[in-house]
Amino acid sequence: MAATGKRPLLLVSNDDGVGAAGLKALREALQQLGDVVVVAPESNQSAGSHSITIERPLRHRRVDTGVHAVDGTPADCIFIALHRQTILPRRPDLVVSGINHGPNLGNDIYYSGTVAAAREGALRGIPAMACSLCGGSDFTAAAALAATLARRLLASELPSDQAVLLNVNFPPAPYRGVRATQLGSRRYDDEVTVRHDPRGREYYWIGGSGAHHDWVDGSDTAAIDQRCVSVTPLQLRGTHDSHAQLAALVADVVL
Ligand code: MN
């Protein structure tokens, strides 16, 4: 916990929009831990990944005490919150994103706005956690357990030399356990749906169909399959493990 003697300050966002039920449940559960400030997108930004808005103005709206909407992306929300003391009075002790309406498993982390909001905090050295509900719309149990995990994060001696970013997925309750996992692989079926609009023009719809995954021991998808809560620690460093081997690809390029 921050050694300021103050109540912890938690910055909360999501990608489903400021009115989402998962966000409301998360906010209410986290209020037992400290001061909570919500800065969330005005509208649904799911699958918006880590984009930021740089070509138009961003508008802010105070929705309620400690609840703010920004008409941008999840990353915009964290970015603005961390730079506007009128919105967030001091540097937060924790960033929590969610609870997403739907899973963020395996490859989803690259598309997810929920994960991106947490990642934006982690990129700035603030411990962060992304929370997602895999099925159903009852956020009660997930919010309670998210608060437990947040409390543990606030109380932990965290590594100071690397970012702390947890990707948490909740199956529908009741839970059979909580597991530390690795990312599995999750692929979307029928990647492009082709239809025609009323004027006969073709249009495409992606991400509208189901997803599937293979069984991978110790993965987030396996944990959810077994109705366990999945906690995947993510890293921000993107360099490949076999960096030297791949770097050889360019070693003898002649200019
Ligand atoms: Mn979402």
Side-chain angles (χ1 to χ4, degrees):
M1 193 178 292
T4 57
K6 294 179 183 168
R7 271 164 65 81
L9 177 61
L10 292 86
L11 173 59
V12 174
S13 191
N14 74 345
D15 75 358
D16 297 319
V18 72
L23 177 71
K24 181 169 184 283
L26 182 63
R27 176 185 180 230
E28 289 174 357
L30 293 175
Q31 280 173 330
Q32 60 185 285
L33 305 184
D35 298 328
V36 176
V37 173
V38 170
V39 185
E42 279 280 11
S43 60
N44 194 330
Q45 302 289 316
S46 293
S49 192
H50 207 126
S51 60
I52 55 172
T53 304
I54 59 171
E55 296 290 350
R56 66 169 176 86
L58 286 163
R59 302 293 180 181
H60 157 258
R61 178 173 67 94
R62 183 183 166 280
V63 178
D64 199 349
T65 305
V67 181
H68 304 264
V70 171
D71 67 342
T73 68
D76 289 335
C77 291
I78 301 299
F79 200 110
I80 286 170
L82 295 178
H83 291 88
R84 282 301 288 158
Q85 285 193 342
T86 51
I87 296 175
L88 191 70
R90 60 185 188 277
R91 185 177 163 86
D93 300 289
L94 186 65
V95 172
V96 188
S97 178
I99 297 170
N100 189 57
H101 295 226
N104 278 305
L105 297 163
N107 300 346
D108 292 342
I109 67 157
Y110 295 105
Y111 302 105
S112 169
T114 306
V115 174
R119 190 191 294 117
E120 184 62 27
L123 282 169
R124 294 168 187 284
I126 303 162
M129 181 169 77
C131 300
S132 303
L133 180 63
C134 307
S137 55
D138 183 353
F139 293 93
T140 314
L145 190 48
T148 298
L149 296 172
R151 178 184 280 115
R152 286 186 167 221
L153 269 179
L154 288 167
S156 297
E157 281 294 325
L158 299 171
S160 57
D161 59 336
Q162 51 186 301
V164 173
L165 175 58
L166 299 182
N167 185 41
V168 184
N169 280 272
F170 302 91
Y175 309 135
R176 293 191 181 147
V178 181
R179 292 200 189 146
T181 59
Q182 301 184 39
L183 293 176
S185 68
R186 189 163 185 266
R187 296 181 300 280
Y188 294 96
D189 303 327
D190 298 325
E191 288 181 354
V192 180
T193 300
V194 181
R195 293 195 180 149
H196 291 84
D197 69 21
R199 293 179 183 164
R201 288 186 62 202
E202 205 172 72
Y203 70 90
Y204 310 115
W205 198 281
I206 63 173
S209 53
H212 66 279
H213 58 266
D214 300 323
W215 178 268
V216 178
D217 281 339
S219 66
D220 52 3
T221 47
I224 295 301
D225 286 346
Q226 295 182 321
R227 300 186 80 88
C228 291
V229 176
S230 167
V231 181
T232 312
L234 301 178
Q235 64 171 355
L236 300 180
R237 294 179 60 224
T239 310
H240 197 287
D241 290 342
S242 301
H243 169 260
Q245 184 186 350
L246 293 170
L249 285 169
V250 301
D252 57 354
V253 172
V254 178
L255 298 176

